[in-house]
Amino acid sequence: QALKKKKHLWEQYKKGIMQQIFTQTLRFKDEQGNDFPEWEERKLGEVCTIKSGLSLDQNDKKEGYQVTRIETISDGKINLNKIGYVSTQEDISNYKLKKGDILFSNINSVSHIGKTALVHHELNLYHGMNLLRLVAATNTHSVFLFYYLNTEFNRNYFKQICNKAVSQASINQTELGKTPIPLPSLPEQQKIATFLSALDEKI
């Protein structure tokens, strides 16, 4: 019970500190103790490439290539027990996930829309249907981007802009690409990513 309480308190602290960081109430300094440059207002489509996944039918025989499904990231991380399989003779090497890729749930129930998972290390896993893959540009740190997309503000934003149907909601690539992103310099992105990663390790 004490550990659960401690974990909950750290999670609340992380939530609060993320809000301060991404609203720029709290700023980091460089190695010399100087301020970093001002953040730039960008769009998500400018700081990463947004890709759709393989549109091949998945099989129940657990044969062929391992591919992601909606359920793969339902817990906010990649669950290798909830993957699908695709058998094909096509070259699908372009769909192989790489370290730093972000998977984004763009077709789901409204409560789960906008969920993300970060590929922390190389996996023998391919990008399947019903998830989008975000590949950070050279001026963007993928871990920083992952944390920004996971802010409460953004989760609510995705719920607002999604197209709502009877059983599920969706966000198309064009709309997602318009998501505003306040972008710090790359060294400050690195500091933020390292700080929040260390918090997650502790949690």
Side-chain angles (χ1 to χ4, degrees):
Q1 287 299 318
L3 279 171
K4 281 183 179 176
K5 186 177 180 182
K6 194 172 184 180
K7 179 173 180 279
H8 176 71
L9 288 171
W10 274 110
E11 285 170 342
Q12 291 302 110
Y13 171 72
K14 179 190 162 192
K15 190 175 173 182
I17 210 84
M18 279 177 70
Q19 185 175 350
Q20 289 183 58
I21 288 170
F22 291 116
T23 56
Q24 301 174 57
T25 309
L26 178 67
R27 292 289 302 271
F28 288 83
K29 304 275 188 184
D30 67 16
E31 301 306 321
Q32 285 74 43
N34 300 317
D35 292 337
F36 282 110
E38 291 302 307
W39 293 23
E40 296 178 7
E41 275 298 324
R42 305 294 289 273
K43 297 275 194 295
L44 184 61
E46 297 171 346
V47 302
C48 70
T49 306
I50 304 171
K51 301 179 178 182
S52 52
L54 277 165
S55 55
L56 297 172
D57 291 335
Q58 298 181 13
N59 64 65
D60 299 323
K61 300 173 185 176
K62 296 190 174 181
E63 293 176 352
Y65 297 98
Q66 298 183 90
V67 294
T68 58
R69 304 185 298 183
I70 290 177
E71 301 86 346
T72 307
I73 67 165
S74 59
D75 298 325
K77 51 183 178 282
I78 294 170
N79 186 339
L80 295 175
N81 295 317
K82 295 181 179 178
I83 56 173
Y85 291 82
V86 161
S87 293
T88 180
Q89 300 301 315
E90 294 178 31
D91 176 12
I92 62 167
S93 55
N94 285 341
Y95 292 91
K96 193 168 192 290
L97 295 173
K98 296 183 173 68
K99 182 181 177 182
D101 287 351
I102 298 168
L103 292 173
F104 182 95
S105 185
N106 69 312
I107 300 174
N108 215 319
S109 62
V110 175
S111 59
H112 290 287
I113 202 87
K115 274 194 172 179
T116 56
L118 179 70
V119 179
H120 286 284
H121 48 82
E122 294 296 327
L123 297 167
N124 189 27
L125 187 63
Y126 292 78
H127 178 202
M129 286 190 290
N130 299 332
L131 291 172
L132 292 175
R133 176 184 174 196
L134 278 50
V135 181
T138 52
N139 66 337
T140 310
H141 195 291
S142 59
V143 180
F144 165 85
L145 184 59
F146 168 71
Y147 280 116
Y148 179 71
L149 293 173
N150 273 287
T151 57
E152 194 171 356
F153 170 81
N154 267 310
R155 289 300 305 279
N156 289 330
Y157 171 79
F158 295 135
K159 288 173 187 174
Q160 287 170 8
I161 68 162
C162 66
N163 295 312
K164 299 172 183 71
V166 176
S167 57
Q168 66 182 22
S170 62
I171 303 173
N172 66 43
Q173 286 176 245
T174 305
E175 279 306 307
L176 182 61
K178 294 175 184 175
T179 303
I181 298 282
L183 196 70
S185 64
L186 203 52
E188 189 173 5
Q189 289 180 51
Q190 176 69 64
K191 285 218 169 197
I192 292 168
T194 302
F195 177 77
L196 293 175
S197 296
L199 265 184
D200 270 340
E201 283 292 321
K202 185 178 277 288
I203 291 167

